[in-house]
Amino acid sequence: MGTLYGIGIIVLAFKMRPINDGLYLKQEMKALGYITLVSVSIWGMLNIFTVERFIGNAVITVAALLAHFFVISLPLFKTYSWEKPTSSFDDGYDAFRDFLIQEFSSENLDFFENAEIFLADYQAEEDFDAREAAKDYKGLYETFVKPYSVSWVNLPGTVVEDFQAPLSKGKDLESSLKSGIVTAEELFRAAKAASNNIFGLMYTDAFRRFMKSKEYAAFAQGVNGAEFAALQANTQV
C-alpha cells in the first residue's frame, strides 16, 4: 500500500509538469513520493520477520497514508490539475487592452505590439528585405507617430524626430536603405526607442490604475494560485 501510494504521488507530480508552479509544490510532491518509497522499504525490511508487529504497524501505516492522501494530496492535486487553466496571461493581456479601450488609450498598446513585431520580424532576418521593412516602418510612422495620425501616441519630440529622420533622407525609405543612406540599424534603434518609451508610459501610468480596476480583479479570480503569485511578483510597483 505504501509503495503504491509513493508511486502514485510521483506520477501525479510528473503529470503536473505543464503547470506554472511558483510555490514548488510539484517538487515537494515528488520528494514526498520518493521518501515514502524509501521509508516503506526500510520499514518492511525491519518488520518482515515479526508477524504480529508487521500486522500492527501495517494497520497504523495504512491509516496514516490514507489520511494523508485524502486530507493533503487529493485536495492539492485537484487544485493544481494538469488540465489547461481556464485563465492565462493571455487573458490578462486582453483584460489590460479592454481597460485601455475604456480609457481611450488602447493605441499605446497597439503601437507597442506593432513595433515589437516589426523588430522581431526584421532583426532576425539574415537577408534584410528593404522593401517590406520600409513599408512596415512607414506604416508605423503614419499610423502612430506622425502628429495627428489615426492612432497618434504621445512620444517626446526627440523620439519623434529620431523616428522620422530615416524617412526624410533620400527619395524614399526603400531606396535609401538599398543605397546605404539609411541603415537597418537606424530603423531598429528608432523603433526600439519609441517602443520602450510607450512601454514605460503604460507601466508607470495606465498599468498602475489597471492593477486596481475591476478588469484586473476579474482576471485575477480566474488565475490559479501559483500563476497569481508569480504575476504579483512580476508586477509589483
Side-chain angles (χ1 to χ4, degrees):
M1 177 67 182
T3 302
L4 292 176
Y5 176 78
I7 294 173
I9 289 293
I10 295 171
V11 170
L12 293 184
F14 274 102
K15 280 185 172 289
M16 290 165 62
R17 281 179 296 176
I19 297 297
N20 178 18
D21 180 13
L23 301 178
Y24 302 103
L25 294 173
K26 293 178 290 187
Q27 289 88 332
E28 291 182 12
M29 288 182 68
K30 285 190 286 186
L32 175 63
Y34 292 133
I35 292 171
T36 301
L37 291 177
V38 173
S39 300
V40 169
S41 301
I42 296 174
W43 173 81
M45 292 173 61
L46 293 176
N47 292 279
I48 194 169
F49 300 109
T50 309
V51 177
E52 294 82 359
R53 186 189 299 174
F54 180 83
I55 294 174
N57 288 343
V59 172
I60 296 173
T61 302
V62 169
L65 291 173
L66 288 174
H68 186 280
F69 178 78
F70 286 105
V71 174
I72 299 176
S73 300
L74 187 60
L76 177 66
F77 175 65
K78 286 182 177 180
T79 301
Y80 289 84
S81 171
W82 65 78
E83 297 290 336
K84 183 178 180 180
T86 57
S87 183
S88 68
F89 288 106
D90 288 337
D91 297 320
Y93 190 87
D94 293 338
F96 184 49
R97 180 182 291 282
D98 291 341
F99 175 77
L100 291 177
I101 290 172
Q102 292 181 30
E103 290 208 333
F104 304 101
S105 60
S106 60
E107 68 277 359
N108 289 326
L109 189 58
D110 291 336
F111 171 72
F112 173 75
E113 187 178 80
N114 281 276
E116 290 300 312
I117 290 173
F118 171 81
L119 291 166
D121 284 348
Y122 295 107
Q123 281 185 315
E125 279 191 351
E126 291 184 9
D127 297 321
F128 181 74
D129 189 333
R131 172 185 245 176
E132 289 299 315
K135 182 181 75 172
D136 290 346
Y137 187 86
K138 188 176 181 181
L140 283 174
Y141 176 75
E142 293 186 345
T143 304
F144 299 104
V145 181
K146 184 179 180 180
Y148 307 106
S149 56
V150 177
S151 299
W152 189 19
V153 293
N154 185 20
L155 288 166
T158 53
V159 176
V160 174
E161 289 174 6
D162 290 342
F163 202 101
Q164 192 272 339
L167 295 166
S168 61
K169 297 179 180 179
K171 181 180 178 182
D172 58 69
L173 183 57
E174 181 184 346
S175 60
S176 296
L177 284 167
K178 289 179 177 179
S179 64
I181 297 175
V182 175
T183 66
E185 286 302 319
E186 289 181 68
L187 304 188
F188 300 151
R189 281 196 302 269
K192 191 60 179 176
S195 176
N196 287 345
N197 192 278
I198 291 299
F199 177 83
L201 178 66
M202 289 191 295
Y203 184 75
T204 57
D205 184 28
F207 191 72
R208 293 191 180 193
R209 294 195 300 277
F210 169 64
M211 293 278 285
K212 301 175 183 178
S213 69
K214 65 180 185 297
E215 288 83 6
Y216 179 78
F219 159 65
Q221 284 182 342
V223 181
N224 71 42
E227 277 189 302
F228 190 44
L231 179 70
Q232 286 183 312
N234 290 329
T235 56
Q236 280 295 338
V237 294

